[in-house]
Amino acid sequence: MDTKLKHAYILSIFIAVLTLVASAGGLFISNLYRDNSNFILIGWYGNDLVTLYVAFPLLVITLIMSIRGSQRAQLVWLGMLDYTLYNYAFYLFGAALNRFLLIYVALFTLSIFALIFGLANIDVNSISQKFQARTPVKWVSSYMMLWAILLGIAWIGQWLSFVVTGQLPQSGLDMDGFKLVATLDLSLVVSGLVLGAIWLWKRRHWGYVLAVMFNVKGFTYTLVLTVGSLLQANAGMEGTAALVPLWIFLGMACLISSLILLRNMKRE
C-alpha cells in the first residue's frame, strides 16, 4: 500500500460499505423513500440498481487494485469517489427525509475527504509520464469541452427562460428539483470538465487525472440516467424515453474516452 494514500483508502472502505447499504436498502427496504412524486421514486430505484450492481463493484475492484499499486486503477478509483460524491449529494439534498439520512451525510462527507486525500497524495508526475506521446488528448478534451458547453447551455438557458417567463420547463422537476440538479451540474460537472479539458489539451499533468476521473464518473452516472429513464418510460411517463438516446451517446463517449486514455498508459 502507498502509505501516502492510506487515509484515502481507509475512507474508501467505509464509503464502499455504506454505498452497499444505501443502494441495497433503497431496493429492498419497502417504503424507504418518502417522496411524493413517482418520477422521483422511480429515479431513486434506477439509481440504486446501477449503484449496487455497477458502481459498488467497480469501486471495490479499483480500490483493491489501487492498494496493490496500479496507477490505472487509481484514476478509475478517484472517478468512482467523484461518482459517490455527486450521486449522494442528490440523496442528501434532494430526497425527502427518510431513515437513511445519516448514511447520506456520511457518504457525502467521506467522499469529499477521500477525494481530497486521494488527489493530494497521488503521484501526478509519475502518472502523467506513463501516458504515451501519441495519446489523442485533443479528441478527448474536445469531447469534454463540448459536453461542458452543452450542459452549461441547457441549464443556464432553462434558468434564463424562468427569469423571463417565470415558468420552469416541463422536465418533470419542480422548482427545488430543478435548482438542485442545475446547481450540482454547473458546480461539480461543468467546471471540472472545462478545467480538465483545457489542461488535457495542453498535456498538463493534472489534465490526464481529471480527464479519466470525469469520464469514468460520466459513464457511470449516464448509466444511472439511462436506466432511470427506461424505468420511467415503462411506467408511462411522457418524454422520458426520448432522453435515452442522449444518455447512451454521452455514456458511450465517456466510456470510449476513458478507455482511450487508460489504454495509452504504459504497462506498469
Side-chain angles (χ1 to χ4, degrees), residues 34-158:
R34 304 170 62 85
D35 302 84
N36 295 323
S37 168
N38 285 332
F39 177 85
I40 301 299
L41 289 173
I42 294 173
W44 295 139
Y45 183 77
N47 191 308
D48 289 332
L49 276 174
V50 174
T51 300
L52 180 61
Y53 294 110
V54 178
F56 168 71
L58 191 54
L59 173 61
V60 172
I61 291 169
T62 55
L63 172 59
I64 293 171
M65 294 176 65
S66 298
I67 292 173
R68 297 178 63 180
S70 171
Q71 289 184 316
R72 280 192 181 93
Q74 283 181 6
L75 298 180
V76 181
W77 161 64
L78 289 170
M80 295 313 300
L81 289 179
D82 192 29
Y83 170 84
T84 59
L85 169 62
Y86 177 77
N87 188 48
Y88 285 103
F90 284 107
Y91 285 77
L92 178 59
F93 300 116
L97 183 64
N98 63 50
R99 288 169 282 178
F100 276 12
L101 173 65
L102 293 184
I103 293 177
Y104 305 148
V105 171
L107 279 165
F108 179 73
T109 306
L110 292 175
S111 297
I112 291 175
F113 284 106
L115 269 175
I116 291 172
F117 295 153
L119 291 171
N121 291 290
I122 60 170
D123 191 344
V124 180
N125 292 333
S126 174
I127 290 173
S128 64
Q129 289 170 6
K130 282 190 168 61
F131 285 90
Q132 302 181 47
R134 66 172 184 269
T135 303
V137 295
K138 292 188 176 181
W139 285 101
V140 176
S141 61
S142 296
Y143 163 67
M144 292 172 64
M145 186 61 75
L146 175 63
W147 180 16
I149 291 172
L150 293 177
L151 193 59
I153 289 174
W155 287 122
I156 294 173
Q158 291 180 78

